Amino acid sequence: MIAATTPGTASLCSECGCDLPTRACVCGLVRYCGVRCQQVDWARHKQDCPPVVLREVVGKGMGLVTTRRVGAGKVIITESPIITHLGWTDKFYEFLDKFQELTVQQKLMYLSLSDPGEKSKVVNKEMLEKAKDIGEEAFVIYKVWRILWANGVYIGMKDGLKEKGVYQIISRINHACKANVVFGLVEPGADKMTITSCREIGKNQEILLNYIGAESIFNTRDKRQAELEENWHFACTCDVCSLTGQEFEQNEEIRKKIMLCKEQIREQVEPTLEVTRKAFVLGMNKLGLMEKIKLEVLAAFPFALMDCYGQARIIQHFGGEVKVGPEYFRDRAAKMSSLLGPSARSVCSDVEETTDRILSRWREGSRKQS
């Protein structure tokens, strides 16, 4: 649930009913004559008072701001999409048909989202040529298409194609390279999305998502800015992108080292004790570097930990020893995943199950050979 901050027309106190001067709750849904009435009514109103409201944010247009303190690991929003899209520009007309099936209210919600206009590259030459036949209606049609790609949230892969969804609330969350919330699916294969706080957020603070995916989260500033400009058409001015001097140089150097570790780990593909040991050492180095910019890459931690878990299990399978047992990495990943929503927990479970299957298959192969 979400509310605007504009107070309603009611003037009576929502608790005692008196007609003294009242002030609206930050959500705008109720009014109180004083602090005592507000405190007394909180147990009832808390169920209806949304944790975030839509407000004007300086330099960003609209954004979602907290109405109260939100602890780490709390689900803030659970929402189904207004509309989904499977595929790319070749599915343009299928998407328009789905849009036409929306209710008037849903269409208005959709059209109120940000439109990048001419900055967007999703309206290609072929589509522009067809606009001559469509007439003035083309301007609205292409606006609908641009809004999809500027506001759509990645849901997952289906039949080999990427699926995106546009959400009434979630699609309004602004970006920061040091996010305080993460998104994830309620369950694999569904399109219902949750927004979970990954760290404590104070009252009247904007909630912020990192739009950049797992493959790019460690990128240096230039690469992050280029990706954001290409896909979402804005220049990021978050705390991380605004670093200067020595802080900026240190941040960039850490990110370069993490990316180098990632590349070197990918090269260790041969399933032997020696190669797995190399991958494990690189994975530990990567984790150490991630700790230095932890709040910026928090969403990637469980997966990096589970990589080390798998490597440690394989080393033990080959008869090797590890100073830090695999259980340490698994348990730490589970603890961090509790703050990062259902998708992170699901992926960690999948990695553990996959590791078990691989090692079981290897053991079975060894028994047959002997």
Side-chain angles (χ1 to χ4, degrees), residues 43-191:
R44 179 199 65 79
H45 177 55
K46 185 177 181 180
Q47 311 305 314
D48 301 318
C49 188
V52 291
V53 291
L54 187 63
R55 287 185 189 166
E56 186 79 25
V57 178
V58 177
K60 297 181 182 179
M62 303 303 289
L64 296 178
V65 178
T66 55
T67 59
R68 54 186 178 271
R69 186 190 69 82
V70 178
K74 301 296 183 183
V75 175
I76 301 175
I77 303 166
T78 301
E79 184 182 21
S80 296
I82 299 172
I83 191 170
T84 61
H85 176 65
L86 193 64
W88 181 228
T89 54
D90 56 322
K91 305 291 184 179
F92 172 61
Y93 290 103
E94 287 92 330
F95 178 74
L96 289 183
D97 289 341
K98 290 180 73 173
F99 182 79
Q100 291 300 334
E101 293 172 1
L102 298 179
T103 65
V104 172
Q105 185 179 12
Q106 287 173 323
K107 288 177 181 177
L108 291 173
M109 288 176 184
Y110 183 98
L111 291 169
S112 70
L113 294 169
S114 175
D115 173 17
E118 295 181 357
K119 293 180 180 179
S120 176
K121 299 176 183 177
V122 296
V123 179
N124 58 36
K125 184 178 180 180
E126 181 182 348
M127 293 163 68
L128 288 172
E129 289 176 352
K130 289 182 178 179
K132 299 173 183 176
D133 300 324
I134 300 173
E136 290 186 5
E137 188 180 347
F139 291 106
V140 177
I141 290 173
Y142 295 150
K143 176 176 180 172
V144 168
W145 189 235
R146 292 191 301 264
I147 287 174
L148 165 67
W149 295 102
N151 299 273
V153 181
Y154 175 69
I155 294 173
M157 298 297 293
K158 185 180 291 185
D159 301 325
L161 298 172
K162 285 185 177 182
E163 185 176 26
K164 296 172 77 74
V166 176
Y167 296 77
Q168 179 188 352
I169 305 172
I170 292 174
S171 291
R172 291 189 178 277
I173 302 176
N174 290 318
H175 164 86
C177 297
K178 185 165 69 175
N180 54 20
V181 297
V182 293
F183 67 88
L185 299 175
V186 171
E187 58 184 31
D191 58 17

